[in-house]
């Protein structure tokens, strides 16, 4: 139904390339691409059969739906430039892809009668090829008023994604969830790899071991959900093992004690919910975690 939409892309980076290719594959017409560097715009324009233009305002004037796939900090200045140059008009849709910014950043477009919204892939896009594969099947946070919300939701469904409605007030909190699950998992992987290295395991072996472990964990999460996917000493109520962990950390990696204890408290809550840890066991483990933190800080 929206094949007639003329889509313009500003910002030919990872997400601009991925969304441009995905939209194009699903029948949307990309008419123009601009980026900071013209060669980046040209490279994407060639793939999606669009025109590469040197200035963002040239994308805006010829498009019905403008996708701003820019670094977060560049959205406001680029929107202000386009507004000054007269690129926005009533009935046009102006959409950014940031998970953290709300719609205030698009106010200059709204003041000129455009509909404003955001379309945030709830996915980690490291490069365009990978993102084109993973975005179908991913959730997309959609923030917009009608009629743009309906348009964005139907685009998401058409490219194989699942729309999530987000409000501006809760946008930052919603984005913390994405950052914790994705960036937090990468940081946890790095901490675990560091511990294995301190334990004398060669990096190549530790990488394989951790990837297989994470793969199994993801499968458990997908198959069993929360809280049943939680395994390990806290889930079993193995207080002695938790204390051995804390002693090992105190001796070999005290810098990671805080992280272990913080996550441990969440595990205790999950284990109680799962029914595999009783109230007394939970109290003893929580006390051991607090004592270890206090000893590390002393
Ligand atoms: N990557 C992800 O995992 C992901 C996931 C969800 C949402 N997002 C959001 O998507 C947006 C883009 O992220 P990204 O990862 O695609 O970033 P990116 O790879 O850094 O791409 C942004 C592109 O914007 C261009 N650019 C920078 N300043 C510009 C300006 N003033 N005018 C025009 N073009 C400019 C740059 O292109 P040149 O090559 O021309 O310099 C750059 O390649 C961000 O809001 C981000 O929060 C990203």
């Amino acid at each position: 139904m929206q094949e007639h939409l003329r889509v313009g892309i500003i910002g030919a980076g990872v997400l601009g390339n991925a969304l441009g290719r995905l939209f194009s594959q699903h029948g949307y017409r990309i008419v123009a691409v601009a980026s900071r560097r013209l060669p980046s715009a040209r490279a994407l324009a060639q793939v999606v059969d669009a025109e590469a233009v040197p200035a963002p305002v040239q994308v805006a004037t010829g498009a019905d739906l403008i996708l701003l796939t820019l670094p977060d900090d560049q959205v406001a200045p680029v929107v202000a430039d386009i507004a000054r140059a007269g690129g926005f008009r009533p009935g046009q849709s102006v959409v950014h892809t940031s998970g953290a910014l709300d719609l205030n950043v698009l106010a200059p477009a709204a003041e000129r009668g455009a509909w404003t919204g955001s379309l945030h892939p709830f996915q980690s896009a490291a490069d365009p090829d990978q993102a084109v594969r993973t975005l179908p099947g991913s959730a997309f946070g959609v923030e917009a008023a009608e009629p743009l919300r309906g348009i964005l939701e139907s685009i998401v469904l058409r490219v194989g994604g699942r729309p999530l409605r987000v409000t501006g007030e809760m946008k930052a909190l919603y984005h913390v969830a994405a950052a914790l699950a994705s960036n937090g998992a990468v940081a946890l992987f790095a901490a675990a790899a560091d511990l294995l290295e301190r334990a004398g395991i060669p990096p190549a072996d530790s990488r394989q071991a951790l990837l297989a472990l994470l793969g199994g964990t993801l499968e458990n999460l997908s198959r069993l959900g929360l809280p049943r996917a939680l395994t390990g000493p806290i889930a079993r109520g193995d207080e002695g093992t938790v204390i051995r962990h804390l002693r090992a950390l105190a001796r070999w990696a005290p810098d990671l004690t805080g992280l272990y204890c913080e996550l441990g408290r969440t595990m205790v809550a999950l284990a109680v919910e799962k029914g595999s840890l009783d109230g007394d066991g939970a109290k003893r483990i929580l006390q051991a975690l607090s004592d270890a933190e206090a000893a590390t800080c002393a």
Side-chain angles (χ1 to χ4, degrees):
M1 169 201 154
Q2 289 139 3
E3 292 87 347
H4 60 279
L5 269 184
R6 294 171 302 166
V7 179
I9 296 178
I10 302 175
V14 174
L15 208 61
N17 271 275
L19 290 179
R21 282 163 53 181
L22 206 57
F23 280 29
S24 181
Q25 284 166 14
H26 287 82
Y28 294 102
R29 193 154 63 94
I30 315 294
V31 289
V33 182
S35 203
R36 183 175 43 189
R37 295 173 300 139
L38 193 55
S40 304
R42 283 202 184 112
L44 172 56
Q46 193 176 12
V47 177
V48 298
D49 197 20
E51 185 187 0
V53 293
V57 66
Q58 293 172 273
V59 171
T61 46
D64 307 308
L65 170 64
I66 303 162
L67 270 186
L68 299 161
T69 43
L70 293 161
D72 290 4
D73 291 346
Q74 290 300 309
V75 176
V78 169
V79 167
D81 282 351
I82 297 173
R84 265 193 301 273
F88 296 126
R89 62 174 186 278
Q92 189 178 41
S93 300
V94 182
V95 173
H96 71 66
T97 55
S98 165
L101 297 174
D102 61 25
L103 299 188
N104 289 325
V105 74
L106 303 178
E111 283 156 14
R112 283 154 183 85
W115 296 322
T116 57
S118 85
L119 182 68
H120 169 253
F122 203 76
Q123 184 54 268
S124 162
D127 68 71
D129 289 342
Q130 171 256 357
V132 166
R133 280 196 309 276
T134 55
L135 288 178
S138 300
F140 286 68
V142 173
E143 184 196 358
E146 294 295 357
L148 179 56
R149 182 167 67 197
I151 293 172
L152 293 177
E153 288 180 348
S154 66
I155 291 175
V156 169
L157 291 170
R158 179 138 170 195
V159 302
R162 283 172 299 110
L164 297 176
R165 285 189 187 176
V166 201
T167 62
E169 193 190 1
M170 290 299 166
K171 192 75 183 286
L173 201 59
Y174 149 93
H175 196 237
V176 172
L180 266 186
S182 175
N183 316 141
V186 175
L188 273 183
F189 188 97
D194 180 22
L195 287 173
L196 287 180
E197 193 177 336
R198 295 189 214 194
I201 314 275
D205 292 342
S206 70
R207 185 172 175 278
Q208 288 300 328
L210 288 169
L211 285 175
L213 177 63
L214 273 182
T217 306
L218 278 182
E219 195 183 313
N220 289 340
L221 274 170
S222 159
R223 201 167 47 90
L224 304 171
L226 291 174
R228 287 177 63 213
L230 185 74
T231 60
I234 292 183
R236 287 191 300 272
D238 263 342
E239 193 187 334
T241 300
V242 174
I243 287 167
R244 270 189 289 281
H245 284 176
L246 291 168
R247 285 190 188 134
L249 283 166
R251 180 160 183 203
W252 304 107
D255 50 312
L256 292 177
T257 298
L259 180 63
Y260 182 93
C261 293
E262 203 55 62
L263 289 173
R265 280 188 269 275
T266 301
M267 291 178 214
V268 166
L270 283 169
V272 169
E273 191 188 338
K274 186 181 173 183
S276 58
L277 181 67
D278 64 22
D280 286 346
K283 267 189 206 142
R284 285 196 300 273
I285 290 176
L286 288 173
Q287 188 61 53
L289 298 175
S290 300
D291 291 348
E293 277 179 319
T296 308
C297 292

